[in-house]
């Protein structure tokens, strides 16, 4: 049965307008993005097929152009639409960080870093540079590793911090598995970087491990 024949209270668009986007499932949200289904399958059916094919919404959103476009019901046009939506989200979260005289909130930092690093298939280590009032100067990806480790060099981090003239930093890296629990290696490199930054009088505010959800090592008392 096409979605237009469903009861109004069951249609994804009507439910979103009435109850908000959080009330919808991944498949229903994806169906709104897809707009139409394929022969014999509604947009919701197609969305469920796609989530089953890719394994998760994260895997679908981070799929390459080739992987994405060869799936049934998708193509280059939908890939372009999706990439535009993702980039708008990244820019929104980047602007959110800059609201007010300093960082808006820890939650804003998490949302920004998750938009930047979640979905990566390998570990990526980055630095959020801040001035002495904790206003954002920029974010930079510095190191790329295998799926389970990244080689992080304190000397290069210090050099990058000095290049940005930062007074404070927030470190971040992702766990491709989605499980953000800090490892013993994460704790060791955090200690090394904290000590190196102390030598140039730059404060390490946090090291965020990006996953679902993100984990703050500062909140864990690990700095």
């Amino acid at each position: 049965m096409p979605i237009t024949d469903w009861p109004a209270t069951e249609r994804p668009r009507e439910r979103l307008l009435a109850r908000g986007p959080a009330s919808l499932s991944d498949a229903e949200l994806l169906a709104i993005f897809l707009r139409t289904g394929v022969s014999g399958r509604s947009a919701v059916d197609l969305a469920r097929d796609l989530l089953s094919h890719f394994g998760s919404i994260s895997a679908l959103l981070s799929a390459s152009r080739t992987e994405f476009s060869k799936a049934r019901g998708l193509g280059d046009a939908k890939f372009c639409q999706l990439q535009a939506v993702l980039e708008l989200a990244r820019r929104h979260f980047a602007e959110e960080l800059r609201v007010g005289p300093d960082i808006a909130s820890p939650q804003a930092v998490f949302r920004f870093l998750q938009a930047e690093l979640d979905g990566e298939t390998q570990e990526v280590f980055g630095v959020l540079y801040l001035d002495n009032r904790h206003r954002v100067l920029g974010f930079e990806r510095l190191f790329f590793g295998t799926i389970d480790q990244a080689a992080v060099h304190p000397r290069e981090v210090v050099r990058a911090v000095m290049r940005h003239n930062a007074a404070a930093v927030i470190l971040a890296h992702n766990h491709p598995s989605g499980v953000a629990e800090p490892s013993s290696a994460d704790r060791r490199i955090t200690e090394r970087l904290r000590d190196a930054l102390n030598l140039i009088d730059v404060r390490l505010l946090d090291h965020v491990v990006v996953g679902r959800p993100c984990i703050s090592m500062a909140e864990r008392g690990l700095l």
Side-chain angles (χ1 to χ4, degrees), residues 98-145:
R98 295 174 171 85
V99 174
D102 53 14
I103 291 177
S105 68
Q107 289 71 32
V109 173
F110 290 168
R111 286 191 290 268
F112 170 78
L113 293 175
Q114 204 153 32
E116 284 287 336
L117 300 179
D118 191 27
E120 294 283 351
T121 57
Q122 62 176 350
E123 282 199 13
V124 180
F125 179 95
V127 180
L128 187 64
Y129 304 103
L130 309 169
D131 67 11
N132 58 4
R133 293 178 60 187
H134 296 172
R135 293 174 298 194
V136 176
L137 299 173
F139 176 77
E140 185 177 19
R141 298 176 178 212
L142 290 181
F143 304 107
F144 302 83

Side-chain angles (χ1 to χ4, degrees), residues 25-154:
S25 67
D26 287 349
E28 290 169 328
L29 289 169
L30 183 57
I32 291 175
F33 168 77
L34 294 171
R35 297 181 60 192
T36 60
V38 294
S39 179
R41 306 290 285 170
S42 71
V44 174
D45 293 328
L46 176 59
R48 289 174 180 148
D49 292 344
L50 291 170
L51 290 173
S52 176
H53 172 75
F54 284 97
S56 68
I57 190 68
S58 178
L60 171 60
L61 296 180
S62 60
S64 69
R65 174 185 174 186
T66 301
E67 293 170 327
F68 185 91
S69 298
K70 71 182 180 182
R72 186 187 183 200
L74 302 181
D76 281 350
K78 283 286 193 295
F79 180 77
C80 289
Q81 287 177 241
L82 182 61
Q83 292 307 306
V85 169
L86 292 173
E87 183 58 27
L88 283 171
R90 293 186 189 102
R91 296 184 188 189
H92 164 70
F93 294 133
E95 286 185 11
E96 187 182 40
L97 275 182
R98 295 174 171 85
V99 174
D102 53 14
I103 291 177
S105 68
Q107 289 71 32
V109 173
F110 290 168
R111 286 191 290 268
F112 170 78
L113 293 175
Q114 204 153 32
E116 284 287 336
L117 300 179
D118 191 27
E120 294 283 351
T121 57
Q122 62 176 350
E123 282 199 13
V124 180
F125 179 95
V127 180
L128 187 64
Y129 304 103
L130 309 169
D131 67 11
N132 58 4
R133 293 178 60 187
H134 296 172
R135 293 174 298 194
V136 176
L137 299 173
F139 176 77
E140 185 177 19
R141 298 176 178 212
L142 290 181
F143 304 107
F144 302 83
T146 65
I147 199 168
D148 58 2
Q149 62 181 356
V152 178
H153 305 289

Side-chain angles (χ1 to χ4, degrees), residues 124-198:
V124 180
F125 179 95
V127 180
L128 187 64
Y129 304 103
L130 309 169
D131 67 11
N132 58 4
R133 293 178 60 187
H134 296 172
R135 293 174 298 194
V136 176
L137 299 173
F139 176 77
E140 185 177 19
R141 298 176 178 212
L142 290 181
F143 304 107
F144 302 83
T146 65
I147 199 168
D148 58 2
Q149 62 181 356
V152 178
H153 305 289
R155 181 184 302 174
E156 295 302 318
V157 173
V158 168
R159 185 176 299 168
V161 169
M162 295 180 69
R163 186 174 68 249
H164 285 81
N165 197 28
V169 298
I170 294 175
L171 308 176
H173 78 282
N174 65 308
H175 281 181
S177 66
V179 180
E181 192 64 32
S183 67
S184 56
D186 294 339
R187 291 193 287 270
R188 286 195 299 271
I189 191 59
T190 301
E191 291 172 359
R192 290 179 61 200
L193 290 171
R194 181 197 61 203
D195 293 344
L197 292 168
N198 281 340

